[in-house]
Amino acid sequence: LNALRAQDLGDDGEADNTLTLSSGDAIIPGIFFDASEAVFGSAGVGDILIQNELGIQAMALGNHEFDQGTSVLADLISGDAAADFDGTAFPYLSANLDFSTDTNLAPLEVAGGGSPLAGTVTSSVVLETNGEKIGVIGATTPTLGTISNPDGVTVLPADFDATPTAEQLDALAAVIQAEVDAVLAADTNLNKIVLLAHMQVLSIEQELAARLENVDIVVAGGSNTRL
């Protein structure tokens, strides 16, 4: 990561408008996830501390973040004062998840389109680097309920197959487009949008790219496709 950042150094030796973002799945249950129990008193803490140390500024919610349910996820995001763990130093994003219907994540939700706040979940944030404002929007695979454990979180659109139809893709794109439009309308000086999409299948992100307007970059996650 430091080597990649070094590539973006300008003639003055300062980084040129570099963002550090992730499309999710920073938390994956397994031996490493469980090992934090012995070291930090709670599983998964090490995974979050790594993301904080890397300097992640915003991250989309992937499916694996929900594998242990929203209670575990909420604790990892918000932190544990007793364990001297401050939670995520970045916000988790998803514009097509309704957190208000889940008792664990609802208290961590903040309005979209604002500055990034540590330990929160939201639909979008606006980052600023060297005077440039960039809207960052998250999106999570609508198949979340069948491949993970989102508990009370409402997933939109409700009807979405692993191999989605054109109509299902249209419905997902409409949810994301509404967030894009809202972020751009809130600040007419903002004209750069990054979508952190965790769709599991690269072709779905490609279909979204064909349907969305005013989105400049799509960061696809979950399919492990090398581009």
Side-chain angles (χ1 to χ4, degrees):
L1 182 56
N2 287 339
L4 289 170
R5 286 172 173 154
Q7 292 178 13
D8 289 327
L9 294 180
D11 294 336
D12 57 1
E14 299 294 327
D16 285 340
N17 300 358
T18 299
L19 302 180
T20 306
L21 306 170
S22 171
S23 56
D25 275 1
I27 305 167
I28 301 180
I31 295 173
F32 190 91
F33 180 89
D34 293 339
S36 288
E37 179 77 39
V39 181
F40 301 108
S42 183
V45 172
D47 301 70
I48 297 299
L49 292 175
I50 287 173
Q51 310 308 312
N52 292 346
E53 187 67 21
L54 291 175
I56 299 293
Q57 294 168 272
M59 184 181 298
L61 280 159
N63 56 291
H64 281 301
E65 266 83 6
F66 291 92
D67 284 349
Q68 301 295 310
T70 59
S71 177
V72 170
L73 175 59
D75 287 345
L76 289 173
I77 293 174
S78 62
D80 183 351
D84 195 27
F85 169 57
D86 294 331
T88 60
F90 54 88
Y92 262 112
L93 313 180
S94 188
N96 67 310
L97 299 183
D98 183 355
F99 305 110
S100 68
T101 55
D102 183 79
T103 56
N104 298 309
L105 291 176
L108 306 183
E109 185 177 14
V110 297
S115 298
L117 297 175
T120 63
V121 294
T122 188
S123 52
S124 62
V125 293
V126 175
L127 303 177
E128 187 168 348
T129 174
N130 292 341
E132 294 283 349
K133 291 183 177 181
I134 303 97
V136 182
I137 296 168
T140 306
T141 173
T143 64
L144 187 63
T146 60
I147 63 175
S148 192
N149 183 24
D151 288 328
V153 173
T154 300
V155 184
L156 301 172
D159 179 27
F160 200 89
D161 300 327
T163 303
T165 65
E167 291 76 16
Q168 290 171 334
L169 289 165
D170 289 344
L172 175 58
V175 174
I176 298 170
Q177 188 67 58
E179 188 69 21
V180 173
D181 294 345
V183 170
L184 292 173
D187 188 343
T188 56
N189 293 319
L190 193 157
N191 62 4
K192 299 172 181 64
I193 296 290
V194 176
L195 172 63
L196 306 178
H198 195 100
M199 293 295 135
Q200 295 289 100
V201 181
L202 180 64
S203 61
I204 296 179
E205 275 101 352
Q206 292 171 327
E207 292 286 352
L208 287 174
R211 287 166 165 79
L212 296 169
E213 295 182 350
N214 299 317
V215 173
D216 301 287
I217 296 172
V218 179
V219 182
S223 68
N224 303 321
T225 305
R226 193 171 198 173
L227 299 176

